[in-house]
């Protein structure tokens, strides 16, 4: 069973069009695939009617906040036109717009003016503009030497551009996905730079809110971290999911289909799908 259930296109902060992403998924000989753009279904709808050599399910990665940390919740196999999911997406569009204005002000106060207009050169959609587009503009202007440095100095965790106030709660994102008939998955748990005890609390709250799966097969996770994560997932009776979190062909460590299998003693997330039959996979 080859799968990749976490991936981005130009509909959010990826570098390839949704059509090109699906073509890459086809050449990776996958059986099951989801495009999970940040806070939008535009990419999904653009390619939903295609004919693919794999099972293609609706997906999204919702931005949220829990305990002062930006948390990403992946939704899979939901009804993509359900009012609960479309309302969540509309709300997040406004949140992104508001955050973009705040980010522009904060960077201007540090001597970097007009960054929102600049970011929009890289992403013409105000409702979808994100930190990576601001990073591209900071690189273009020579304020930083790379996108990574833009995150390290200005945009990443704990820096002035890490604005979380606009995001909905993690619990409300989980609820929206479930209301739309989908499975809510905690995205890349080791990317939040938490202690294991805080991570354990996060997973407990995520489960209490209705979350059913956790990404255990993610890029850039070492074997010890994976072991600990799998232990929590098993202990709590959660399912395992995963994906490369593809954004760009240039990120060699996160290419479509580069995903570890789900261990045999953990329920795979696709066993929980209500809309897509597992026999088809
Ligand atoms: P946003 O959705 O606007 O909050 O931006 C978050 C996105 O920024 C993530 O999904 C990543 O794609 C990207 N990102 C996070 N950290 C870094 C980094 N250090 N370097 C480059 N991109 C990053
Ligand atoms: Mn991203
Ligand atoms: Mn993410
Ligand atoms: Mn992602």
């Amino acid at each position: 069973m080859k799968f990749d259930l976490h991936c981005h296109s130009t509909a959010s902060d990826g570098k390839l069009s949704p059509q090109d992403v699906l073509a890459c998924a086809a050449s990776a000989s996958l059986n099951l695939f989801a495009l999970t753009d940040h806070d939008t279904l535009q990419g999904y709808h653009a390619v939903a009617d295609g004919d693919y050599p794999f099972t293609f399910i609706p997906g999204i990665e919702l931005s949220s906040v829990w305990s002062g940390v930006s948390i990403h919740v992946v939704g899979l196999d939901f009804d993509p036109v359900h009012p609960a999911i479309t309302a969540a997406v509309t709300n997040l569009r406004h949140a992104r717009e508001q955050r973009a204005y705040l980010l522009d002000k904060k960077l201007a106060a540090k001597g970097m003016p007009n960054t929102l207009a600049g970011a929009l050169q890289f992403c013409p959609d105000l409702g979808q503009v994100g930190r990576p587009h601001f990073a591209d503009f900071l690189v273009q202007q020579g304020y930083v030497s790379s996108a990574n440095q833009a995150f390290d100095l200005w945009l990443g965790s704990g820096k002035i551009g890490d604005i979380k106030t606009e995001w909905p709660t993690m619990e409300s994102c989980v609820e929206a996905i479930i209301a739309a008939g989908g499975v809510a998955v905690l995205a890349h748990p080791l990317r939040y730079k938490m202690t294991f005890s805080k991570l354990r609390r996060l997973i407990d709250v995520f489960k209490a809110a209705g979350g059913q799966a956790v990404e255990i097969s993610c890029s850039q996770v070492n074997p010890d971290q994976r072991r600990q994560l799998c232990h929590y997932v098993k202990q709590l009776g959660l399912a395992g999911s995963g994906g490369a979190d593809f954004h760009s062909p240039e990120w060699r460590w996160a290419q479509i289909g580069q995903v570890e299998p789900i261990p045999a003693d953990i329920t795979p997330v696709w066993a929980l799908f209500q809309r897509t039959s597992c026999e088809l996979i």
Side-chain angles (χ1 to χ4, degrees):
M1 171 65 175
K2 273 200 87 183
F3 66 96
D4 192 327
L5 298 171
H6 190 147
C7 175
H8 299 273
S9 75
T10 45
S12 63
D13 58 0
K15 297 289 186 203
L16 299 188
S17 68
Q19 290 77 8
D20 287 349
V21 167
L22 270 284
C24 283
S27 20
S29 319
L30 299 176
N31 306 108
L32 175 63
F33 182 66
L35 176 62
T36 56
D37 274 308
H38 297 283
D39 307 325
T40 181
L41 287 166
Q42 270 177 25
Y44 169 77
H45 287 303
V47 291
D49 292 336
D51 192 13
Y52 303 109
F54 45 76
T55 302
F56 181 50
I57 57 164
I60 197 162
E61 182 175 17
L62 299 178
S63 305
S64 78
V65 65
W66 172 77
S67 187
V69 185
S70 299
I71 302 292
H72 287 174
V73 180
V74 164
L76 298 174
D77 197 47
F78 48 84
D79 171 0
V81 295
H82 193 284
I85 204 81
T86 51
V89 167
T90 303
N91 181 26
L92 279 158
R93 246 192 106 73
H94 294 138
R96 259 183 196 279
E97 288 178 13
Q98 290 310 312
R99 188 186 64 149
Y101 288 120
L102 285 174
L103 189 46
D104 178 83
K105 274 201 200 130
K106 290 204 176 201
L107 293 172
K110 295 288 177 188
M112 294 171 274
N114 303 320
T115 53
L116 175 52
L120 289 172
Q121 290 170 21
F122 295 93
C123 170
D125 180 355
L126 177 61
Q128 258 328 108
V129 73
R131 285 179 285 170
H133 309 112
F134 281 84
D136 285 342
F137 179 66
L138 296 187
V139 173
Q140 187 205 61
Q141 294 301 298
Y143 293 125
V144 290
S145 57
S146 65
N148 229 339
Q149 195 185 34
F151 275 85
D152 285 348
L153 293 178
W154 303 113
L155 305 171
S157 184
K159 303 298 171 189
I160 59 159
D162 180 26
I163 303 167
K164 300 169 281 253
T165 47
E166 307 300 319
W167 296 142
T169 65
M170 176 178 78
E171 291 87 335
S172 70
C173 289
V174 171
E175 274 166 32
I177 292 163
I178 291 171
V183 179
V185 183
L186 180 64
H188 45 61
L190 293 157
R191 200 101 42 91
Y192 307 122
K193 299 191 178 114
M194 291 177 178
T195 60
F196 267 111
S197 63
K198 185 159 183 186
L199 179 58
R200 176 59 205 245
R201 263 190 291 134
L202 165 64
I203 299 175
D204 283 342
V205 174
F206 181 76
K207 182 180 172 179
Q212 288 168 288
V214 172
E215 285 187 352
I216 53 175
S217 300
C218 316
S219 15
Q220 295 181 294
V221 172
N222 72 40
D224 280 347
Q225 291 173 320
R226 188 162 198 252
R227 215 168 294 124
Q228 185 66 56
L229 194 55
C230 287
H231 172 67
Y232 290 160
V233 165
K234 260 185 281 186
Q235 211 177 36
L236 290 167
L238 291 161
S241 184
D245 204 359
F246 172 84
H247 283 76
S248 159
E250 286 172 19
W251 297 12
R252 302 310 317 169
W253 61 93
Q255 292 302 299
I256 295 174
Q258 276 177 16
V259 185
E260 299 265 334
I262 302 296
D265 55 355
I266 291 183
T267 306
V269 68
W270 50 87
L272 307 180
F273 291 167
Q274 293 174 38
R275 297 166 46 83
T276 303
S277 158
C278 284
E279 280 102 297
L280 291 177
I281 297 169

